[in-house]
Amino acid sequence: MTITGSKCTATLTPQRAAKRVVLAGRFALGANVADHFRKLGWEVHTVNADHDVHATAAETDPHAVLLPENAGEESGYLACVKLRQTLPDLKVVVVGAERTAGREKFAEFVGAKFVTEADGVGRFVTAMS
């Protein structure tokens, strides 16, 4: 809001109706996670190709992205670094096969949270919320 003399001008920033999440890759729990977020009122965008996650994130301005630890040519950790350079407030979750202290530390180092398929839908949701 700007006040000049007796004039007052306000500029409002439009609010998004719903939070958005991008699910990249294929996960055994992917459909359950997507359904859960839809029930919470989130927009869910799914992409299968590695390179599509960056384009989809740029187009949709998501609140969170779920990435596989190993996906084709680019690891989930590298994708996280790239995504967070353009969207610094983005929450990123890396999904790996096995939980180790090293994987969790590396995920934290690149600005992500780490989960495994065995953690279940609740853990995915907690990590992305």
Side-chain angles (χ1 to χ4, degrees), residues 37-111:
F37 275 98
R38 284 187 184 106
K39 288 177 185 173
L40 293 174
W42 288 44
E43 286 181 25
V44 178
H45 301 270
T46 57
V47 293
N48 294 322
D50 303 340
H51 64 282
D52 287 346
V53 70
H54 302 290
T56 303
E59 292 168 8
T60 62
D61 188 25
H63 174 72
V65 173
L66 183 71
L67 301 165
E69 181 179 33
N70 298 309
E73 298 176 14
E74 185 174 270
S75 76
Y77 303 106
L78 178 58
C80 174
V81 170
K82 290 179 177 180
L83 286 166
R84 291 189 42 88
Q85 283 181 345
T86 55
L87 301 164
D89 295 329
L90 180 66
K91 291 184 180 185
V92 179
V93 179
V94 175
V95 181
E98 180 183 353
R99 181 178 307 284
T100 65
R103 285 179 166 139
E104 287 182 323
K105 284 181 183 178
F106 197 49
E108 183 180 338
F109 175 74
V110 298

Side-chain angles (χ1 to χ4, degrees), residues 106-124:
F106 197 49
E108 183 180 338
F109 175 74
V110 298
K113 293 190 178 181
F114 185 86
V115 299
T116 68
E117 290 276 353
D119 291 335
V121 174
R123 176 75 178 197
F124 280 53

Side-chain angles (χ1 to χ4, degrees), residues 12-26:
L12 299 176
T13 307
Q15 296 291 322
R16 288 193 297 193
K19 288 186 178 181
R20 296 179 181 117
V21 62
V22 174
L23 304 179
R26 298 183 189 271

